[in-house]
Structures are given as C-alpha cells and as structure tokens.
Amino acid sequence: MKKPDPNGVLRLLPLAVGGLGATLLLVNRLLTPELTDSQARGDVLGVILSAVLILTGLIWQQVQPRSPEVVELMGEEGFFLAENLPEAVKTELAWASHILLTNTVTRSLVVYYQGKVLLRRGILGSKSEITPGPIVQRVLATKKPVYLVALQIYPGKIEFDYLPENTQGVICQPIGEQGVIILGANAPRSYTKQDENWISAISDKLAVTLSFHHS
C-alpha cells in the first residue's frame, strides 16, 4: 500500500496561490474602467509572479518522491555466528552486521567466506546452508557487486532461498577475493548510492580482518 505524501498540501500550495493570483488579476483588469501606466506595470509583474508560482507547483508535483512498496519479511529474527571463529573476527562481524542493519535498508544479511557461512543476522530465511548460485558465483569471480533492485522480477531469485521468501531487493557485495556479503531489503529499489558506498566500505574492512585471520 502506498503511503500518503506528508508534504502533499505544501506541494499544491504554489499551484493554488499562482492560480488564485492570476484569477484576481484578470478580475481586476475586467473591472477597471481606465488602466493607468502604473497599474499596467503592476499587472505585468503580477502575471510573472503567478506564472512562476504555477511553474514551481508543477515542478514540485513531478519530483514528488515515490514511496517504495515496503513489506514485512517472512521469517524469524536471529543472529548466527559460525563456531571456532577468532574473537576478533566475531567482534568485527557483529559490528559490521549491526551497522548495516541499523544504518541501511538491510533487514537480512549473510556473510559467506571461503565456502562457509560465517554469519546470518536479521530476519532469517528457512534455509541455513548456502549453495552459491550463478549470481553469487559471478560476484566471487569478478569481484564486482551485483544489485538486484527488485528481486521478485528476476528469474535468478530462486538461488537466494536462504533469505526470507519475500525479500524485495538484494545486494551481493564481494569481500576481498574469497567471500561475499549478501544483503536483503524489505522494499524494492530502496538502496541509495550512499548505501552502496557504505556497504562497500564495510565490506573492505571485513576483507582485511578476515584475510588476516584466515591466512
């Protein structure tokens, strides 16, 4: 369900004021028997101001933000860490996942490194094991992220069966050369460029820690 725009009335204000101003100028012109030079100049200025207000209102209508379709992800909230990890790695994974879950639109995430699931956190899918599908394999091979802006329309969504079933958007971000962090959102097209940069920075930091303790 689309959320109402809280600034809808404000966006309509320039249109209403501009239209009212133009109407009053027209009525004033029709009711004035003799038009003086100063009145003519005032009418011209009024027409310009009304036109600017109307144009501003039209522009504001076009740039009205579209609220993404937010859903409640199916699954239970949880926090899983692989056993026998060094304390420094546990701390780093806990910190990174907390930052991503609280500062981006991410609601579910998985860290996969050297063929193992190191972390699952947020809303968990029903499947705990990961078999890398074509998309994740491509990320591992190319070391380049993949952003699926609306997961439900991609045929390849079946490979993400370890995320909640109704996950709306997914980012697969490489962790160095041997891993990937998979992030799921509860709304399509909800990750911004700033989110992507933030995810990349966190991933780079994780890569340093993991490569040091898994070398």
Side-chain angles (χ1 to χ4, degrees):
M1 182 177 177
K2 200 169 184 177
K3 293 183 179 180
D5 180 13
N7 297 318
V9 175
L10 182 61
R11 293 178 186 280
L12 289 172
L13 192 58
L15 279 174
V17 174
L20 178 62
T23 302
L24 291 176
L25 283 171
L26 178 60
V27 171
N28 183 64
R29 172 65 68 89
L30 293 175
L31 296 179
T32 301
E34 291 186 12
L35 189 64
T36 64
D37 291 342
S38 60
Q39 201 170 12
R41 289 193 295 270
D43 286 351
V44 171
L45 181 60
V47 169
I48 293 174
L49 290 175
S50 296
V52 169
L53 284 170
I54 292 172
L55 180 60
T56 301
L58 291 173
I59 292 174
W60 282 11
Q61 290 299 307
Q62 291 179 0
V63 299
Q64 180 177 349
R66 296 179 181 177
S67 299
E69 298 297 325
V70 178
V71 302
E72 185 174 347
L73 294 186
M74 300 166 59
E76 297 294 327
E77 188 165 353
F79 182 14
F80 163 83
L81 271 172
E83 297 180 357
N84 302 321
L85 289 175
E87 285 302 316
V89 172
K90 290 182 180 179
T91 301
E92 185 86 355
L93 288 170
W95 168 82
S97 58
H98 173 75
I99 291 295
L100 292 170
L101 287 168
T102 56
N103 289 275
T104 72
V105 295
T106 302
R107 294 295 175 267
S108 178
L109 64 86
V110 175
V111 174
Y112 181 80
Y113 193 80
Q114 292 184 344
K116 297 179 181 179
V117 177
L118 301 189
L119 175 139
R120 298 167 68 226
R121 190 170 185 178
I123 307 300
L124 305 181
S126 57
K127 187 177 178 181
S128 58
E129 294 299 318
I130 291 181
T131 302
I135 297 174
V136 170
Q137 288 178 355
R138 188 174 76 196
V139 172
L140 289 169
T142 63
K143 314 299 184 293
K144 294 180 179 179
V146 169
Y147 178 16
L148 306 176
V149 297
L151 184 62
Q152 298 303 313
I153 68 174
Y154 288 97
K157 69 178 182 180
I158 58 173
E159 78 170 80
F160 297 101
D161 53 359
Y162 43 83
L163 294 177
E165 182 180 343
N166 60 337
T167 299
Q168 299 298 300
V170 167
I171 287 182
C172 299
Q173 180 73 39
I175 303 174
E177 298 183 351
Q178 302 182 70
V180 60
I181 181 168
I182 302 144
L183 307 101
N186 62 347
R189 301 176 182 84
S190 52
Y191 283 105
T192 65
K193 191 61 181 177
Q194 183 177 356
D195 289 333
E196 294 180 61
N197 291 338
W198 187 240
I199 291 167
S200 177
I202 296 292
S203 178
D204 289 344
K205 191 173 188 307
L206 274 177
V208 173
T209 300
L210 291 174
S211 63
F212 178 78
H213 288 279
H214 284 75
S215 56

Coordinates of all heavy atoms in Angstrom, one line a residue, residues 150-185:
A150 N 14.9 -5.2 -7.7 CA 13.6 -5.8 -7.5 C 13.6 -7.3 -7.6 O 13.4 -7.8 -8.7 CB 12.5 -5.2 -8.4
L151 N 14.0 -8.0 -6.6 CA 14.3 -9.4 -6.7 C 13.2 -10.2 -7.2 O 13.4 -11.2 -8.0 CB 14.7 -9.9 -5.3 CG 15.2 -11.4 -5.2 CD1 16.4 -11.6 -6.0 CD2 15.4 -11.8 -3.7
Q152 N 11.9 -9.9 -6.9 CA 10.8 -10.7 -7.3 C 10.6 -10.8 -8.8 O 10.0 -11.7 -9.3 CB 9.5 -10.2 -6.7 CG 9.5 -10.2 -5.2 CD 9.8 -11.5 -4.6 OE1 9.2 -12.5 -5.0 NE2 10.7 -11.6 -3.6
I153 N 11.2 -9.9 -9.6 CA 11.1 -10.0 -11.1 C 12.2 -10.7 -11.8 O 12.2 -10.9 -13.0 CB 10.9 -8.5 -11.7 CG1 12.3 -7.8 -11.6 CG2 9.8 -7.8 -11.1 CD1 12.2 -6.4 -12.3
Y154 N 13.2 -11.1 -11.0 CA 14.4 -11.8 -11.6 C 14.2 -13.3 -11.5 O 13.9 -13.8 -10.4 CB 15.7 -11.4 -10.8 CG 16.2 -10.0 -11.1 CD1 15.9 -9.0 -10.2 CD2 16.9 -9.7 -12.2 CE1 16.3 -7.7 -10.4 CE2 17.4 -8.4 -12.4 CZ 17.0 -7.4 -11.5 OH 17.5 -6.1 -11.8
P155 N 14.4 -14.0 -12.6 CA 14.3 -15.5 -12.6 C 15.3 -16.1 -11.6 O 15.1 -17.1 -11.0 CB 14.6 -15.9 -14.0 CG 14.3 -14.7 -14.9 CD 14.6 -13.5 -14.0
G156 N 16.5 -15.4 -11.5 CA 17.5 -15.9 -10.6 C 17.3 -15.8 -9.1 O 18.1 -16.2 -8.3
K157 N 16.1 -15.3 -8.8 CA 15.8 -15.1 -7.3 C 15.8 -16.5 -6.6 O 16.0 -16.5 -5.4 CB 14.5 -14.4 -7.1 CG 13.3 -15.3 -7.5 CD 11.9 -14.6 -7.3 CE 10.8 -15.5 -7.6 NZ 9.5 -14.8 -7.4
I158 N 15.6 -17.6 -7.3 CA 15.5 -18.9 -6.6 C 16.8 -19.3 -5.9 O 16.8 -20.1 -5.0 CB 15.1 -20.0 -7.6 CG1 16.1 -20.1 -8.8 CG2 13.7 -19.8 -8.1 CD1 15.8 -21.3 -9.7
E159 N 17.9 -18.7 -6.4 CA 19.2 -19.1 -5.7 C 19.3 -18.4 -4.3 O 20.2 -18.8 -3.6 CB 20.4 -18.7 -6.6 CG 20.8 -17.2 -6.6 CD 22.1 -17.0 -7.3 OE1 22.1 -16.9 -8.5 OE2 23.1 -16.8 -6.6
F160 N 18.5 -17.4 -4.0 CA 18.6 -16.8 -2.7 C 17.5 -17.4 -1.8 O 16.9 -16.6 -1.0 CB 18.3 -15.3 -2.9 CG 19.4 -14.6 -3.7 CD1 19.2 -14.3 -5.1 CD2 20.6 -14.3 -3.2 CE1 20.1 -13.7 -5.8 CE2 21.6 -13.8 -4.0 CZ 21.4 -13.4 -5.3
D161 N 17.4 -18.7 -1.8 CA 16.4 -19.3 -0.9 C 16.8 -19.4 0.5 O 16.1 -19.8 1.4 CB 16.1 -20.8 -1.4 CG 17.4 -21.6 -1.5 OD1 18.5 -21.1 -1.3 OD2 17.3 -22.8 -1.9
Y162 N 18.0 -18.9 0.8 CA 18.5 -18.8 2.2 C 18.1 -17.4 2.8 O 18.4 -17.2 4.0 CB 20.0 -19.0 2.3 CG 20.8 -18.3 1.2 CD1 21.1 -17.0 1.4 CD2 21.1 -19.0 0.1 CE1 21.8 -16.3 0.4 CE2 21.8 -18.3 -0.9 CZ 22.2 -17.0 -0.8 OH 22.9 -16.4 -1.8
L163 N 17.5 -16.5 2.0 CA 17.0 -15.3 2.5 C 15.5 -15.4 2.7 O 14.9 -16.4 2.2 CB 17.2 -14.1 1.5 CG 18.7 -13.7 1.3 CD1 18.8 -12.7 0.2 CD2 19.4 -13.3 2.6
P164 N 14.8 -14.5 3.4 CA 13.3 -14.6 3.5 C 12.7 -14.7 2.1 O 13.1 -14.0 1.2 CB 13.0 -13.3 4.2 CG 14.2 -13.0 5.1 CD 15.4 -13.4 4.2
E165 N 11.6 -15.4 2.1 CA 11.0 -15.7 0.8 C 10.5 -14.5 0.0 O 10.6 -14.4 -1.2 CB 9.8 -16.6 1.0 CG 9.0 -17.1 -0.2 CD 7.9 -18.0 0.1 OE1 7.8 -18.5 1.2 OE2 7.0 -18.1 -0.8
N166 N 10.1 -13.5 0.7 CA 9.6 -12.3 0.1 C 10.6 -11.1 0.1 O 10.2 -9.9 0.1 CB 8.3 -11.8 0.7 CG 8.4 -11.5 2.2 OD1 9.3 -12.0 2.9 ND2 7.5 -10.7 2.7
T167 N 11.9 -11.4 0.2 CA 12.9 -10.3 0.1 C 12.7 -9.6 -1.2 O 12.5 -10.1 -2.3 CB 14.3 -11.0 0.1 OG1 14.5 -11.7 1.4 CG2 15.4 -9.9 0.0
Q168 N 12.8 -8.2 -1.1 CA 12.4 -7.4 -2.2 C 13.6 -6.9 -3.0 O 13.5 -6.7 -4.3 CB 11.7 -6.1 -1.7 CG 10.4 -6.5 -1.1 CD 9.4 -7.2 -2.0 OE1 9.0 -6.6 -3.0 NE2 9.0 -8.4 -1.6
G169 N 14.8 -6.7 -2.4 CA 16.0 -6.2 -3.1 C 17.2 -6.9 -2.5 O 17.2 -7.2 -1.3
V170 N 18.2 -7.2 -3.3 CA 19.4 -7.9 -2.8 C 20.6 -7.2 -3.4 O 20.7 -6.8 -4.6 CB 19.4 -9.3 -3.3 CG1 20.7 -10.0 -3.0 CG2 18.3 -10.1 -2.5
I171 N 21.6 -7.1 -2.5 CA 23.0 -6.6 -2.9 C 23.9 -7.8 -2.6 O 23.9 -8.3 -1.4 CB 23.4 -5.3 -2.3 CG1 22.7 -4.1 -2.8 CG2 24.9 -5.1 -2.4 CD1 23.1 -2.8 -2.3
C172 N 24.7 -8.2 -3.6 CA 25.8 -9.1 -3.3 C 27.1 -8.4 -3.4 O 27.5 -8.0 -4.5 CB 25.8 -10.3 -4.4 SG 24.2 -11.2 -4.3
Q173 N 27.8 -8.2 -2.3 CA 29.0 -7.4 -2.3 C 30.2 -8.2 -2.0 O 30.2 -9.0 -1.0 CB 28.8 -6.3 -1.2 CG 30.0 -5.4 -1.0 CD 30.2 -4.4 -2.1 OE1 29.2 -3.9 -2.6 NE2 31.4 -4.1 -2.5
P174 N 31.2 -8.2 -2.9 CA 32.4 -9.1 -2.6 C 33.1 -8.7 -1.4 O 33.2 -7.5 -1.0 CB 33.2 -8.9 -3.9 CG 32.8 -7.6 -4.4 CD 31.3 -7.4 -4.1
I175 N 33.7 -9.7 -0.7 CA 34.5 -9.4 0.5 C 35.9 -9.9 0.0 O 36.3 -11.1 0.1 CB 34.1 -10.2 1.7 CG1 32.7 -9.9 2.1 CG2 35.0 -10.0 2.9 CD1 32.1 -10.7 3.2
G176 N 36.7 -9.0 -0.4 CA 38.1 -9.3 -0.9 C 38.0 -10.2 -2.1 O 37.1 -10.0 -3.0
E177 N 38.7 -11.3 -2.1 CA 38.8 -12.2 -3.2 C 38.1 -13.6 -2.9 O 38.0 -14.4 -3.8 CB 40.2 -12.5 -3.7 CG 40.9 -11.2 -4.1 CD 42.3 -11.4 -4.7 OE1 42.8 -12.6 -4.5 OE2 42.9 -10.5 -5.3
Q178 N 37.7 -13.8 -1.6 CA 37.2 -15.1 -1.3 C 35.8 -15.2 -0.6 O 35.4 -16.2 -0.1 CB 38.2 -15.7 -0.3 CG 39.6 -15.8 -0.8 CD 40.6 -16.5 0.2 OE1 40.5 -17.6 0.5 NE2 41.5 -15.7 0.8
G179 N 35.1 -14.0 -0.6 CA 33.8 -14.1 0.1 C 32.9 -13.1 -0.5 O 33.2 -12.3 -1.4
V180 N 31.7 -13.1 0.0 CA 30.6 -12.2 -0.4 C 29.7 -12.0 0.8 O 29.5 -12.9 1.6 CB 29.9 -12.8 -1.6 CG1 29.2 -14.1 -1.3 CG2 28.8 -11.8 -2.1
I181 N 29.2 -10.8 0.9 CA 28.1 -10.5 1.8 C 26.9 -10.2 1.1 O 26.9 -9.5 0.1 CB 28.5 -9.3 2.7 CG1 27.4 -9.0 3.7 CG2 28.8 -8.0 1.9 CD1 27.8 -8.0 4.8
I182 N 25.8 -10.9 1.5 CA 24.5 -10.9 0.7 C 23.5 -10.2 1.6 O 23.3 -10.6 2.8 CB 24.0 -12.3 0.4 CG1 25.1 -13.0 -0.4 CG2 22.7 -12.3 -0.3 CD1 25.2 -14.5 -0.2
L183 N 23.0 -9.1 1.1 CA 22.1 -8.2 1.9 C 20.7 -8.2 1.3 O 20.6 -8.0 0.1 CB 22.7 -6.8 2.0 CG 24.1 -6.7 2.5 CD1 25.0 -6.5 1.4 CD2 24.3 -5.6 3.5
G184 N 19.7 -8.4 2.1 CA 18.3 -8.3 1.6 C 17.5 -7.2 2.3 O 17.7 -6.9 3.4
A185 N 16.7 -6.5 1.4 CA 15.9 -5.4 1.9 C 14.4 -5.8 1.8 O 14.1 -6.7 1.0 CB 16.2 -4.2 1.0

